[in-house]
Amino acid sequence: MRKVIISALLVASCIAYAQDFTPNNYSSSYSSTMSVNSLGGDHAVFGVRSENFGRALKYDEIAGSPYYNAEFHLANVAENVEKVPVRYNSYKDEVEFQKEGKPLVLPKEEQFSRIEIISPKSTIVLLKTNDDLSGYFFELINGKLPLYKKIKVKFQDAIPAANSYATDKAAFFKTLDPVYYIKTESGYIKKPKKVKEIADAFPAKKDEIEKFAKSNNIKINKEEDLIKLVKFLNQ
């Protein structure tokens, strides 16, 4: 009787094992890394509606660029997903990736909330800042008090010529000044303008922060100085 039971269990195990390796389950059972073909995403749109001309303008009809860097660079977009080429569209606040040679838009989901570009090394994170800039930021410091940078591009519509003697003014993309965020336990310090603004957020270290800033001649409007100050805060 015992032999019969053991035999039955072995048969059941073999059936279950075989089911795991059916065509539909093969990739997830055989490999811990998902193929780029498993990534979803909307097709990227390469145009902007011009209200003044009453039609869509293609990117190549617009001066400047909507991209932080127009080239695609290999990146890790999520755990257990193979590396894919990506680029950041600063105008639309979208991360585009290539799939079978076609550009798609990465879903704004928790799974894809940290995109690590391999070279040149940089990290893009998806943040809910509860303001009009919520979305993708570049991570400058990853620590207890992270520092993020928002890069935004504005579209300036074309202006048709007023008469036959004038000429049209071409549409263009304008990169705005970056906006910096320091994440704290109570929220975000957005676009700090003075050292005092940061020091006031940390009463226990206020004197130390002001002393450090003074001795190092910290200028908040300089990115390298802001990085230096936030690194000090993380010590």
Side-chain angles (χ1 to χ4, degrees), residues 7-228:
S7 297
L9 287 173
L10 286 173
V11 170
S13 297
C14 289
I15 292 172
Y17 182 82
Q19 287 176 340
D20 283 342
F21 281 83
T22 57
N24 290 334
N25 297 326
Y26 180 79
S27 60
S28 60
S29 300
Y30 181 76
S31 174
S32 60
T33 302
M34 294 168 57
S35 166
V36 65
N37 292 326
S38 63
L39 280 177
D42 297 325
H43 287 281
V45 177
F46 304 110
V48 182
R49 175 73 181 177
S50 169
E51 297 299 331
N52 291 341
F53 279 131
R55 68 178 181 86
L57 298 176
K58 296 179 180 178
Y59 284 172
D60 57 11
E61 295 180 89
I62 305 169
S65 174
Y67 296 102
Y68 175 70
N69 186 328
E71 295 181 5
F72 283 91
H73 294 277
L74 202 62
N76 291 303
V77 297
E79 290 186 9
N80 301 324
V81 176
E82 68 179 6
K83 298 178 182 67
V84 293
V86 303
R87 65 182 177 184
Y88 175 56
N89 187 322
S90 304
Y91 169 66
K92 292 187 175 180
D93 192 40
E94 295 176 342
V95 173
E96 298 173 8
F97 70 98
Q98 285 184 320
K99 177 179 177 179
E100 297 177 348
K102 298 178 182 178
L104 299 176
V105 176
L106 201 65
K108 280 188 175 180
E109 300 173 356
E110 180 64 28
Q111 181 185 3
F112 308 107
S113 62
R114 187 176 184 84
I115 298 131
E116 298 176 341
I117 298 173
I118 297 168
S119 180
K121 190 174 181 181
S122 61
T123 301
I124 301 172
V125 294
L126 186 61
L127 300 177
K128 293 180 180 179
T129 53
N130 299 319
D131 60 15
D132 60 326
L133 294 181
S134 275
Y136 291 111
F137 288 74
F138 282 87
E139 183 181 78
L140 301 181
I141 293 178
N142 180 17
K144 185 178 180 181
L145 300 169
L147 175 63
Y148 303 107
K149 177 169 72 172
K150 183 72 175 187
I151 299 175
K152 191 70 179 173
V153 168
K154 180 181 180 181
F155 169 72
Q156 185 66 50
D157 203 353
I159 302 176
N163 52 58
S164 58
Y165 298 99
T167 57
D168 297 339
K169 288 187 178 180
F172 63 92
F173 287 113
K174 179 182 178 182
T175 301
L176 305 180
D177 292 335
V179 180
Y180 299 93
Y181 286 65
I182 302 171
K183 188 177 181 180
T184 69
E185 292 180 356
S186 58
Y188 291 94
I189 301 174
K190 178 182 177 181
K191 201 176 182 178
K193 296 178 180 179
K194 297 179 179 180
V195 171
K196 185 179 183 302
E197 186 178 346
I198 297 174
D200 287 344
F202 305 95
K205 297 182 66 175
K206 183 175 180 179
D207 292 342
E208 294 177 55
I209 294 169
E210 291 178 342
K211 183 179 179 181
F212 175 84
K214 185 177 181 180
S215 62
N216 288 275
N217 195 28
I218 296 295
K219 305 294 184 185
I220 293 298
N221 61 343
K222 292 184 178 180
E223 183 176 299
E224 59 269 27
D225 282 5
L226 186 57
I227 290 173
K228 189 183 296 184

